[in-house]
Amino acid sequence: MSDLAVPIGDDDLVAWVDGRLDGARRDDVSIYLAAHPEIAARLEAEARDRDALRAVLRAKFEEPIPARLRVANVAAAQRLRHRARVQALAAAFAAFVIGAGSGWFAARDAAPPAMPPAAVAIAADAANAHRTFVVEVAHPVEVAASERDHLMHWLSKRLGRPLAAPDLSAYGFRLMGGRLLPGGAGAAAQLMYEDAAHRRLTLYVEVAEGGETAFR
């Protein structure tokens, strides 16, 4: 076997057992095994074990893939879960209002007749601002998230209340930035978020003069 340009190695032996060698290399391995009967006997035993294992597993291999594990069904389930999270966020963060005292007020999941007129107006302003800017490609925000500190300081100063952008990364949304808008009684702010699929979520913040604030 010293005449071989490339010595016979384990890779050659495994390939020979699996029937993956062609031409001259297969002949070289066959000659090598003829000269080394103990190695040939070991390979024959390994081949028998392989064939026995394949026979045992063939029935399982030929079973159809369960519906829950098919790629299309897995992808559809993921889309449904993501859509549900987006809808929940869209409802929860439809409108934010900062009261004259402290805290956050969020208008959500309430029929318009049960809501104070001011809250209805704010929700309408939030919806209009969302429709106007969420489709923008070149200028979706006035100040980008790369200048987050400047953005929050500027909006807080204009609204006259400390404003902090919620972290929605747990839901797959990152802050894109924000802009200043006219509000019902003064200035308003809009924060825009986007996920990996380029779906956008906006938070509308407006100052409400007087009254206590609470989650609703």
Side-chain angles (χ1 to χ4, degrees), residues 63-98:
E63 288 181 359
I65 298 175
R68 62 184 177 83
L69 297 180
R70 292 174 185 166
V71 174
N73 292 341
V74 171
Q78 290 176 338
R79 287 195 297 271
L80 286 175
R81 288 195 296 270
H82 188 83
R83 187 178 300 117
R85 288 198 299 269
V86 171
Q87 291 172 346
L89 282 170
F93 295 104
F96 272 83
V97 183
I98 304 177

Side-chain angles (χ1 to χ4, degrees), residues 145-168:
S146 58
E147 299 181 76
R148 185 186 187 119
D149 291 342
H150 165 66
L151 171 65
M152 303 317 300
H153 177 76
W154 173 52
L155 293 178
S156 297
K157 182 178 179 180
R158 292 303 304 270
L159 268 65
R161 302 288 189 278
L163 179 64
D167 182 3
L168 304 183

Side-chain angles (χ1 to χ4, degrees), residues 93-192:
F93 295 104
F96 272 83
V97 183
I98 304 177
S102 63
W104 292 85
F105 174 95
R108 61 163 293 190
D109 296 339
M115 295 172 64
V120 175
I122 291 170
D125 290 342
N128 289 333
H130 177 85
R131 284 193 296 267
T132 299
F133 296 109
V134 77
V135 296
E136 284 290 332
V137 176
H139 304 289
V141 296
E142 194 171 359
V143 179
S146 58
E147 299 181 76
R148 185 186 187 119
D149 291 342
H150 165 66
L151 171 65
M152 303 317 300
H153 177 76
W154 173 52
L155 293 178
S156 297
K157 182 178 179 180
R158 292 303 304 270
L159 268 65
R161 302 288 189 278
L163 179 64
D167 182 3
L168 304 183
S169 58
Y171 300 96
F173 285 86
R174 63 172 183 83
L175 180 68
M176 296 179 66
R179 65 174 61 247
L180 186 69
L181 297 170
Q190 182 190 64
L191 302 178
M192 186 175 295

